[in-house]
Amino acid sequence: MKHTRIAILASGIGSNALALMNHFDGHPTIRTSLLVSNKETCGALLPASKKNIASEVLSNAEIEDNQTLLMLLKQHSIDIVVLAGFLRRIPISVVQAFPDRIINIHPSILPEFGGKGMYGARVHHAVIEAHKKSSGITIHVVNENYDEGHYIAQFFVPVRANDDASSLGHKIRTLEQRYFPTVVEGYINSLTD
Ligand code: GRF
């Protein structure tokens, strides 16, 4: 049976990328075929090489040029792109070539605390400053307006009076690890059923 080939794009620590790679290790129908980063220091690069998953580091200019990333995804016959803490905007050429086939994770309950400049710890700081009683994660399809594609799933955590951005970030990371890989898997299965 033909595998669905996914590319994971990550910039930072890479905990979500690693959770995805681990989840799809030995999967009967879904394979992590490529890891792309814009940072040599991305924490997912070493685990990818240990798992014999192809990886590429592209410069920000290459990511934005509308050709390099698209060509790379085509060379690796990628079916689905998963953004796992990827901090650059995906070029329009890629968004158009993968309609409903690009998935992002955002560490808040969108539409709140989304959009330009809202990533990583900045999101958690903003949630704390706004005295929100809950936060969470949104897993969504990427369309031409960054955080505005349709939502696949949202999961909530309470924000307690003694939480700060760091403790909230820890709770969010736990949610991401628990749900992101299985939601990606379910979404891919819903496309191929
Ligand atoms: C995660 O919180 C993710 O939701 C956000 O960026 C963070 C990346 O963490 N988009 P990691 O690199 O996957 O560890």
Side-chain angles (χ1 to χ4, degrees), residues 78-150:
I78 296 303
D79 302 299
I80 299 280
V81 177
V82 184
L83 308 181
F86 188 64
L87 297 181
R88 305 302 298 189
R89 186 180 284 269
I90 298 302
I92 192 73
S93 59
V94 173
V95 175
Q96 288 173 344
F98 289 86
D100 295 326
R101 300 289 192 279
I102 306 176
I103 304 165
N104 186 40
I105 186 164
H106 184 81
S108 78
I109 299 297
L110 290 174
E112 282 199 294
F113 308 103
K116 200 168 165 52
M118 275 294 175
Y119 57 86
R122 292 189 193 194
V123 177
H124 310 318
H125 278 290
V127 169
I128 297 287
E129 270 167 30
H131 302 289
K132 289 296 193 183
K133 295 277 177 283
S134 64
S135 187
I137 60 173
T138 302
I139 300 165
H140 67 95
V141 173
V142 171
N143 71 9
E144 292 164 29
N145 294 321
Y146 220 55
D147 289 332
E148 293 172 17
H150 81 255

Side-chain angles (χ1 to χ4, degrees), residues 144-177:
E144 292 164 29
N145 294 321
Y146 220 55
D147 289 332
E148 293 172 17
H150 81 255
Y151 301 161
I152 302 167
Q154 294 185 305
F155 300 95
F156 291 76
V157 280
V159 181
R160 307 283 182 210
N162 60 353
D163 271 322
D164 58 14
S166 161
S167 65
L168 177 58
H170 189 74
K171 288 184 192 177
I172 297 281
R173 206 168 273 283
T174 304
L175 266 194
E176 292 178 338
Q177 299 285 312

